[in-house]
Amino acid sequence: GSPERGYERFFAFLGLFVFAMCALVLGGNFLLLYLGWEAVCLCSYLLIGFYYDRPAAAAAAKKAFLVNRVGDFGFGLGILLIYLSFGTIEYGAVFDMVQQGVLASGAPLSDGRVTTIALLLLCGACGKSAQLPLHVWLPDAMEGPSPVSALIHAATMVTAGVFMIARCGAIFTASTTAMTVVAVIGAMTALFAATIAVVQTDMKRILAYSTISQLGYMFLGAGVYAADSAVFHLFTHAFFKALLFLGAGSVMHAMGGIIDLRQFGGLRKILPWTFATFVIGSLALAGVPLLSGFFSKDEIIHHALAVHPILGVMGLVTALLTAFYTFRMVFLAFFGPQRVPEGVHAHESGGWMLAPLLVLSIG
């Protein structure tokens, strides 16, 4: 059939997003980081509001943009303070001075100042990576098309906060206070979002809360001096969560745009390929041994227990809840008597939609 209205606009924004994300990751100083940081936010806004004639989508886009502004204000102040303190914004030069504990003037770097810088940078990370209390925008961001949820709100933009904390490890590890705050916020967010996911009925919203929860894990990892494990989890999560979002998109496509779990069930016969790939993604998300999610989560929980038992226990409880809500979703959608919404001709998606699912399942 003829392409959907806005087809060109969609790929233009997606291309701009990829450019912005590359600038964010590949830049060698805080100014380029900030430029990429704001530009991915802009693209996210444009793509969440892609169906701009739907009031809910327009409102969700605005909310995402404004909540991110709150965090980015702190982030911008953090970069200004770095410049004031060290007279440069090059990563290498700044990290060297932090490790030597000196300011640009040669005066010693006080604990208070390095903590302030770290906490201001953390503000930006909390906004972008949807940590408490700035998590409110991510579930609403599900108004955008499914490929946008898969790319931006599972794999790339929302992990920018985690990337930034790992990249600025020198600054964060110089302050025990900041590390504690990162770990505590991460653990709280992981647990809190998992409890919300348990009662959601909209498939994409369950995945959104699940993403917030997994991002909490990454922050927990970063805060317990296990940044390598946090980045490993970022990597494994990108695969299985993108797979689940595209799987949900495939279900949505088959159900004529309906994604409410109360309105359909028993789809495993109608959508065999979607079902198979979705289950692989779900097992990885639930942290079943021998799948990617198990190894990365296990590492983070191990380090968390070593730093503080309470943090480790919060991680373990979150893992239990994760398995519960993930399979609640799988059973409601794919098992039980076959039910489809009225007037919907349910069918398996075409090859172009299934190919990415198969590739991601291998990941």
Side-chain angles (χ1 to χ4, degrees):
S2 62
E4 195 173 344
R5 182 168 166 274
Y7 196 75
E8 302 81 1
R9 188 164 50 93
F10 179 79
F11 285 100
F13 292 158
L14 219 50
L16 184 63
F17 171 80
V18 172
F19 162 73
M21 196 70 208
C22 288
L24 189 159
V25 176
L26 301 172
N29 61 51
F30 286 98
L31 190 64
L32 274 176
L33 174 73
Y34 193 72
L35 179 129
W37 199 263
E38 296 302 330
V40 289
C41 189
L42 169 73
C43 295
S44 172
Y45 164 81
L46 294 169
L47 286 163
I48 293 169
F50 177 72
Y51 301 116
Y52 55 84
D53 45 3
R54 296 214 312 249
K62 195 166 64 184
K63 181 171 177 180
F65 198 76
L66 291 174
V67 171
N68 266 299
R69 284 288 66 67
V70 174
D72 292 350
F73 181 66
F75 188 62
L77 289 178
I79 293 175
L80 289 174
L81 187 55
I82 285 173
Y83 184 67
L84 275 174
S85 307
F86 306 112
T88 175
I89 49 171
E90 291 290 326
Y91 287 149
V94 170
F95 298 154
D96 280 348
M97 280 190 244
V98 171
Q99 267 151 356
Q100 289 158 18
V102 294
L103 296 171
S105 59
L109 171 65
S110 68
D111 275 353
R113 176 162 296 201
V114 77
T115 301
T116 309
I117 291 175
L119 292 177
L120 284 169
L121 292 177
L122 178 64
C123 288
C126 284
K128 185 84 52 231
S129 292
Q131 299 298 292
L132 285 168
L134 301 176
H135 65 282
V136 290
W137 67 272
L138 201 108
D140 291 19
M142 297 302 122
E143 291 296 333
S146 289
V148 172
S149 305
L151 174 72
I152 300 182
H153 305 122
T156 48
M157 182 185 108
V158 289
T159 55
V162 184
F163 162 78
M164 190 271 297
I165 290 178
R167 187 76 183 82
C168 302
I171 296 176
F172 281 87
T173 49
S175 157
T176 44
T177 315
M179 290 298 270
T180 309
V181 172
V182 172
V184 169
I185 287 183
M188 281 166 51
T189 306
L191 189 57
F192 168 76
T195 56
I196 300 182
V198 170
V199 295
Q200 297 294 314
T201 56
D202 177 304
M203 240 168 143
K204 280 181 72 176
R205 279 186 90 88
I206 293 178
L207 290 170
Y209 281 110
S210 165
T211 302
I212 299 176
S213 178
Q214 298 304 307
L215 287 163
Y217 264 118
M218 295 172 213
F219 271 68
L220 172 59
V224 293
Y225 299 86
D228 50 350
S229 310
V231 173
F232 180 38
H233 193 55
L234 185 158
F235 203 79
T236 56
H237 173 258
F239 281 103
F240 62 72
K241 190 54 66 71
L243 169 61
L244 289 171
F245 270 121
L246 290 173
S250 175
V251 170
M252 196 168 167
H253 177 72
M255 295 292 116
I258 292 176
I259 195 107
D260 188 334
L261 288 168
R262 291 167 299 192
Q263 297 189 34
F264 55 79
L267 301 181
R268 70 179 194 282
K269 297 279 193 298
I270 314 176
L271 307 173
W273 286 99
T274 303
F275 168 63
T277 52
F278 203 89
V279 166
I280 292 173
S282 300
L283 289 169
L285 168 58
V288 170
L290 301 182
L291 280 91
S292 64
F294 165 74
F295 296 102
S296 51
K297 253 188 218 187
D298 183 55
E299 287 280 296
I300 291 175
I301 291 172
H302 165 75
H303 285 285
L305 282 167
V307 168
H308 201 293
I310 295 178
L311 292 175
V313 170
M314 286 171 84
L316 281 170
V317 173
T318 307
L320 283 169
L321 284 169
T322 306
F324 178 76
Y325 67 67
T326 308
F327 283 92
R328 168 179 170 268
M329 173 171 64
V330 172
F331 289 131
L332 283 174
F334 295 103
F335 288 86
Q338 202 165 300
R339 289 180 302 138
V340 295
E342 281 176 37
V344 172
H345 167 61
H347 57 289
E348 179 62 287
S349 308
W352 284 115
M353 281 177 77
L354 292 177
L357 292 180
L358 294 171
V359 174
L360 286 165
S361 340
I362 297 165

